[in-house]
Each structure stands twice: as C-alpha cells, then as structure tokens.
Amino acid sequence: TQLLEQSPQFLSIQEGENLTVYCNSSSVFSSLQWYRQEPGEGPVLLVTVVTGGEVKKLKRLTFQFGDARKDSSLHITAAQPGDTGLYLCAGDSEYGNKLVFGAGTILRVKS
Amino acid sequence: KAGVTQTPRYLIKTRGQQVTLSCSPISGHRSVSWYQQTPGQGLQFLFEYFSETQRNKGNFPGRFSGRQFSNSRSEMNVSTLELGDSALYLCASSLVAGGQGNTGELFFGEGSRLTVL
C-alpha cells in the first residue's frame, strides 16, 4: 500500500515569513502533484513533478521532487494571507487516474 | 469553460438510507474519479470511470457504487448509510485516462457534503 506522509499538519505564520511543507513516502512514485484547497471548494492543482531532482517554481512557490522520487517539498517565500489554505500532496498509483493523497497541511498566514 | 459540477452540494440523511450523488465533468473530459474526504482519513480514492467503464476501484465496501453514462456524467451511490459515511465527496474529471504512472491532470468539483445522522 502506497502512503504519503505530510508534515507539518498545521502551520500558522506571519505574513512575510518563509515555510516548507514536506511529503514523504517509502514508495517510489512516477509523479507527485501538489494541490491547494480552500474551504468549500475542491482541490486545485498547483504543479506536477515528474523527474527525480526536478525543481519547479510558481511565483513564490518552489516545488522539489526528491532524487529517488519518494519525497517532495513545497517552499513558500514571503507568505501572504492569500496563501492560506489546505495544501495536499498526491502521488500517482500504479494505474489510471488514481491518486494517493497525503493528509494535508493547513496553512494560515496572518497579516 | 464550465468546471466540474456536483449536485447536490449539501445533504442530510439518516442511517440506513441511501444516497445518489451526481457529477458532470468538464465538457470533453471522459475520465471521472470519485474521492471521499474526511478530517480523519483525508482524501481517499473511491473509483474511476472512463468511457462508461470502471477502470479502478479503491478499498471501500460494496455499499459504495458508481456508474458513468454515455455523456460522461457520473453518479455514485451509497446504500445503507452509516455515520462514518459523513464526508465531502469530491468528483474529479480528466481529459484522458491516466496510464501507468501517468496521472492525467485532475479538475475537482466543489464536492457534495453528506451528513449522516
């Protein structure tokens, strides 16, 4: 069974601070996706990382896929209140559009 | 373009009843997946349909079932509801059916929040 462990579970920071969210597994994934979910809405895809060691940037967000494709991280620089939400990592399974999700990190950025 | 539409958005049922949830995918998308989201278990995969065929199924009891119609709209049904079935049920559509290690980009709806009393 493939599992993804996300940490931390909760993060409350001040506007302007930096933060990193981690997603770890003992399994190898062909790709990992990061989603952000706001209350009352479904998750929205932020990025997909495919190659071991890959780094992708999306404005103030930096995503990294581990060399062994077992872990990933999301780093936010100078967090803004608009970054508040639930961040989810998800790895593809062996077949089809079936994703294995981490438990999520609730981020609150205070102004 | 219109996103994924799920109905109803909210519903309350009692134990033992059954419920049917509907999902209309983005126009042109033929893959529809269903996920259950709870505070304790997070997002868990229920099943995936592509071209009216169930391609993949998660580890849920047989009380959970689904189907897909020729217009790609999908429904899921939960029979003999239990308190633990209270959750947000999310539907996601994708343009393609993911191949091995090649998950298609998923577009999620806003979900149907089910409360079982």
Side-chain angles (χ1 to χ4, degrees), chain B residues 6-26:
Chain B
Q6 291 189 245
T7 57
R9 289 292 312 278
Y10 304 91
L11 66 167
I12 300 173
K13 293 285 187 178
T14 56
R15 280 178 296 175
Q17 287 187 311
Q18 72 165 15
V19 66
T20 299
L21 308 177
S22 179
C23 172
S24 293
I26 292 173

Side-chain angles (χ1 to χ4, degrees), chain B residues 4-73:
Chain B
V4 178
T5 303
Q6 291 189 245
T7 57
R9 289 292 312 278
Y10 304 91
L11 66 167
I12 300 173
K13 293 285 187 178
T14 56
R15 280 178 296 175
Q17 287 187 311
Q18 72 165 15
V19 66
T20 299
L21 308 177
S22 179
C23 172
S24 293
I26 292 173
S27 178
H29 285 195
R30 294 164 63 192
S31 169
V32 173
S33 306
W34 289 89
Y35 289 82
Q36 181 196 64
Q37 186 174 30
T38 60
Q41 300 296 321
L43 272 141
Q44 293 188 291
F45 174 81
L46 282 158
F47 24 66
E48 178 199 359
Y49 289 88
F50 183 82
S51 294
E52 302 177 67
T53 301
Q54 186 180 90
R55 298 184 74 234
N56 218 336
K57 192 178 188 321
N59 296 323
F60 279 82
R63 300 185 296 106
F64 291 80
S65 62
R67 58 179 176 168
Q68 187 180 32
F69 302 95
S70 58
N71 61 358
S72 293
R73 189 177 70 86

